[in-house]
Amino acid sequence: MKTKLFKCALFTVFMLGINALNAQSTKDVVKGAKAIKVVDNKGTIKYFQSNNGISQIVNTTGDVTTTTWQLGGQLTDNTYIDVNGKVFALDGIALETGAASTNATTTSIHGGTGTGWTLLVRDEATGATKKMAADNLVSGIRVEYTQAANAAANVDVAVVGLPALTAGTTDAKLFVFRNGIKLRSGTDFTATAGTVSIKYSAADLPMYAGDVIEVQYIR
């Protein structure tokens, strides 16, 4: 009986020795500069690092095991975020169009110094989340043109930034006035990209020197 107990004790000591050797391994692994070195309760050296997610690199004798958790993917259940009075922000979302202005920085309040408001929008073509300055949601073009001499033909008024319009949709955003009186689209004027053409009519709507054409377009 004593012999069996002695053999069991030797075997146990032997196995503990092997585990200790494995646990105390100091073999290095390839890791990022910002990896955090930790040691578990068995003495195993591990590194935790983050690269668009959270990675765990486990250092073992003769082998390296890497486990990665990353934000993204398909949710399997309803998910809610309770900020509980804390700040929740998204940094680094670029403006939809153009460079950032002083009231719409390229980063959030956490990293920026803007004082205005921006809106998060979704690009339906790419699915990307972007942001835009609030005052860019509704903006427009205003051009005022004064006729220099009596006209004997259509008068073209250049409107920089005016897009090609679609009847029944975007043309509803265009307003043209002559001396304060609103003109009718297609009857009194036509519009193409960058140009509003005032129709000439010797009998009904002649253009005289000094006539003022005002063009307004809401984006």
Side-chain angles (χ1 to χ4, degrees):
M1 184 67 179
K2 290 182 179 180
T3 303
K4 290 183 178 180
L5 290 175
F6 180 71
K7 290 182 178 179
C8 288
L10 285 178
F11 178 77
T12 301
V13 171
F14 176 74
M15 293 303 297
L16 289 174
I18 293 177
N19 289 336
L21 289 174
N22 288 336
Q24 296 298 327
S25 173
T26 57
K27 179 183 177 182
D28 202 1
V29 297
V30 177
K31 56 188 179 299
K34 296 183 179 180
I36 301 174
K37 183 177 181 180
V38 297
V39 180
D40 66 13
N41 59 354
K42 293 183 179 180
T44 303
I45 299 173
K46 299 179 180 180
Y47 295 91
F48 290 90
Q49 66 183 20
S50 177
N51 183 17
N52 194 27
I54 302 175
S55 297
Q56 175 187 241
I57 299 178
V58 181
N59 184 25
T60 60
T61 302
D63 192 15
V64 175
T65 301
T66 302
T67 304
T68 301
W69 295 269
Q70 181 173 326
L71 297 177
Q74 187 177 41
L75 294 177
T76 59
D77 202 350
N78 295 334
T79 302
Y80 306 94
I81 298 176
D82 183 357
V83 298
N84 193 28
K86 304 300 188 295
V87 174
F88 178 78
L90 299 175
D91 286 347
I93 299 180
L95 288 176
E96 167 67 15
T97 56
S101 62
T102 56
N103 63 347
T105 59
T106 55
T107 53
S108 75
I109 190 172
H110 172 262
T113 57
T115 57
W117 293 90
T118 56
L119 306 173
L120 285 182
V121 296
R122 181 180 186 273
D123 188 334
E124 289 297 325
T126 64
T129 299
K130 301 180 181 179
K131 72 176 184 178
M132 63 187 302
D135 56 1
N136 286 339
L137 183 62
V138 178
S139 61
I141 302 170
R142 181 183 180 277
V143 172
E144 191 171 284
Y145 166 86
T146 301
Q147 180 65 17
N150 293 348
N154 292 349
V155 175
D156 291 338
V157 178
V159 183
V160 177
L162 181 68
L165 304 180
T166 303
T169 55
T170 54
D171 65 343
K173 302 177 180 180
L174 177 63
F175 304 89
V176 180
F177 303 87
R178 179 192 179 200
N179 299 330
I181 300 174
K182 186 177 182 301
L183 301 182
R184 295 172 297 171
S185 177
T187 301
D188 302 325
F189 72 91
T190 58
T192 56
T195 303
V196 169
S197 182
I198 308 301
K199 289 188 176 183
Y200 170 77
S201 172
D204 299 327
L205 191 65
M207 282 285 289
Y208 297 110
D211 281 353
V212 177
I213 301 297
E214 181 181 346
V215 179
Q216 298 178 3
Y217 178 73
I218 301 174
R219 296 183 189 277

